[in-house]
Amino acid sequence: MEPHNVLEHQHPAPTKGAELSAEGYKKTLTRRHVQMIAMGGAIGVGLFMGAGGRLASTGPALIFSYALAGLIAYFLMRALGELIMYRQSSGSFVSYAGELFGSKGAYLSGWMYVLNWVMTGIAELIAIGLYFTYFFPGVPVEAAALCALGLLVAVNLFSAKAFAEFEFWASFLKVAAIVIFLLIGIYLVATNAQVGDGHAAVGNLFASEGGMFPRGVLISILVLNAVIFAYNGIELVGITAGEMEDPVKEVPAAIRAVVVRIVVFYVGSVTLLAMILPWNQFKAGESPFVTVFDQLGWGWISGVMNFVVITAALSSCNSGLYSIGRVFRAMANNGHAPQWLTKMNKRYVPYAAIWAIAGVYFVGVMLNIWLGGTYAFDLALNTASIGVLFTWAAIFGCQIMLRRKKGRISKLPMSGSPYTSWAGLVALAIITVLIGFDTMVGKDGEVFHLGLYTIGCIPLIAVGLWIGWRKVRNNKPKSELYA
């Protein structure tokens, strides 16, 4: 029996217009959508907000951390590109893990990806609420966060193209903001402009005792898990592949161009930030871009940058709803999640899965009232990084196994394989160990051992996965499409 026939009850009958994929999705995403989604997916609050606190705790050495993480991200995208060109699937790496590692591989990669976006989405929604109070101080954080969630659910339920259009313009705004900052930053450094009590200059990179490593070399390595999280979402292009109009043309262009641009944006932005102001003038909880413009006396830009940060968080959460909706449905078809998650509406959207993750986001936002505080936000992000590391490891592992089982058959082979994928896996393993040493310094100078709390979550996650696997291990996939 053909996959389409087996899955016929899970999506509406084909209608005129865009072609349907084997998984029942409408292929409506164009090249401009794919390029901007891939680029914007990895540009979020990790840069617009998180870079300030990391500069304060690491110093200019953060530049090397972003560069190293960018290299790993480049290897990852090349590995993912080979897999996508082998077979396009909205289940992405979950689908590949199932084919290449068996049912347990699909189960683990799927639920760890869900963990990633559950924690990321909750943190992003809380960030939206916090930044919304800049414009409307009287609005409760949770109220603003839930309004944002309602907007994103509506966009995602309408159609994949509605998601793509929202993401395109949100990503366009983020990219435009970074490009404008890069131009302003280059001008400030080139003219040795006065910024606050000092001047923008290359010398700011080496001004402190210890030069570029005022906190020591080790600290620049210890923050890699947080920096890796900043690149979270770069793998989204793999999930959109199942709904692209022409993935054979669109994927290679996205893979080859996007990583380089993102690394330039990240490394370039952090480098200029450290040149414009001494690293110890940045602080956690405030966008480093806002810090720079305040020191320039351009306080009015703070409002603009806060709007950009809200947009970045909305974009990231939007990507989470979209990606988990598709992954959840693939997991349900594999028998690894409740079967009602396979349901689709007349617009070829997995509405049941989207409502499910929206419900989890709602609970997470409400729990923030009880947990509260900056530490809860940072702990959510660090826990999400465990899911990011596992997802990236799954992609590298699938690329290695694809070569072993099927050889060099993809139209976009990964350079240096399998050594580049193995290098990526080793780097991810080291970063996982380093999570345990991560600390945060609060506004009152209190040291919070964030990494220890994060590592403490791993046994709980492992037990949960083990219990879940024992319950679903005998379930059969809906068809060979999900086997």
Side-chain angles (χ1 to χ4, degrees), residues 53-65 203-221 274 277-282:
R54 294 300 172 180
L55 268 171
S57 63
T58 309
L62 187 65
I63 297 167
F64 299 109
S65 301
N204 283 329
L205 296 174
F206 315 97
S208 299
E209 183 179 349
M212 292 194 73
F213 299 88
R215 302 285 195 186
V217 176
L218 182 61
I219 192 66
S220 64
I221 301 174
L277 282 176
W279 62 275
N280 54 15
Q281 292 192 30
F282 295 99

Side-chain angles (χ1 to χ4, degrees), residues 257-286:
V258 166
V259 176
V260 175
R261 293 172 187 169
I262 289 175
V263 172
V264 168
F265 288 157
Y266 270 101
V267 177
S269 295
V270 174
T271 301
L272 283 171
L273 286 168
M275 288 181 178
I276 294 170
L277 282 176
W279 62 275
N280 54 15
Q281 292 192 30
F282 295 99
K283 54 188 176 183
E286 180 175 283

Side-chain angles (χ1 to χ4, degrees), residues 15-21 24-29 160 242-244 344 347-348:
T15 57
K16 293 181 180 180
E19 177 188 353
L20 288 186
S21 71
Y25 295 108
K26 208 166 187 179
K27 296 185 175 183
T28 57
L29 305 189
E243 295 176 81
M244 294 179 189
M344 297 180 74
R347 297 185 180 88
Y348 306 92

Side-chain angles (χ1 to χ4, degrees), residues 48-323:
F48 284 109
M49 180 178 174
R54 294 300 172 180
L55 268 171
S57 63
T58 309
L62 187 65
I63 297 167
F64 299 109
S65 301
Y66 272 102
L68 180 56
L71 180 62
I72 299 171
Y74 174 75
F75 288 157
L76 176 93
M77 290 298 281
R78 290 307 305 263
L80 183 59
E82 180 167 338
L83 291 164
I84 296 172
M85 295 306 290
Y86 157 67
R87 177 169 63 82
Q88 293 83 50
S89 167
S90 290
S92 191
F93 48 88
V94 176
S95 175
Y96 305 136
E99 177 182 350
L100 300 167
F101 287 100
S103 183
K104 187 179 289 186
Y107 169 82
L108 290 173
S109 60
W111 280 108
M112 289 302 287
Y113 191 67
V114 170
L115 170 69
N116 165 18
W117 276 110
V118 163
M119 302 308 291
T120 300
I122 292 170
E124 301 281 18
L125 286 168
I126 293 170
I128 292 169
L130 289 170
Y131 274 85
F132 195 77
T133 59
Y134 174 88
F135 300 102
F136 302 97
V139 177
V141 171
E142 289 74 22
L146 292 179
C147 286
L149 177 59
L151 169 65
L152 297 178
V153 169
V155 168
N156 274 270
L157 289 178
F158 190 78
S159 69
K161 194 162 188 178
F163 152 78
E165 282 296 330
F166 183 97
E167 193 61 23
F168 174 85
W169 291 108
S171 297
F172 179 83
L173 178 61
K174 291 187 290 185
V175 171
I178 293 176
V179 170
I180 291 171
F181 172 76
L182 290 174
L183 294 174
I184 293 174
I186 291 171
Y187 172 80
L188 293 173
V189 173
T191 59
N192 195 32
Q194 183 171 351
V195 183
D197 295 330
H199 289 81
V202 176
N204 283 329
L205 296 174
F206 315 97
S208 299
E209 183 179 349
M212 292 194 73
F213 299 88
R215 302 285 195 186
V217 176
L218 182 61
I219 192 66
S220 64
I221 301 174
L222 295 181
V223 299
L224 274 172
N225 71 292
V227 174
I228 283 287
F229 175 79
Y231 285 93
N232 181 29
I234 199 172
E235 73 287 339
L236 187 64
V237 66
I239 295 173
T240 61
E243 295 176 81
M244 294 179 189
E245 288 181 349
D246 190 355
V248 175
K249 290 183 179 180
E250 292 157 9
V251 170
I255 296 295
R256 291 179 179 131
V258 166
V259 176
V260 175
R261 293 172 187 169
I262 289 175
V263 172
V264 168
F265 288 157
Y266 270 101
V267 177
S269 295
V270 174
T271 301
L272 283 171
L273 286 168
M275 288 181 178
I276 294 170
L277 282 176
W279 62 275
N280 54 15
Q281 292 192 30
F282 295 99
K283 54 188 176 183
E286 180 175 283
S287 170
F289 302 97
V290 171
T291 303
V292 166
F293 290 124
D294 280 346
Q295 290 291 318
L296 280 168
W298 301 355
W300 59 273
I301 289 190
S302 295
V304 176
M305 291 310 302
N306 274 288
F307 178 75
V308 172
V309 172
I310 291 174
T311 303
L314 279 169
S315 169
S316 178
C317 195
N318 187 43
S319 297
L321 279 170
Y322 171 87
S323 59

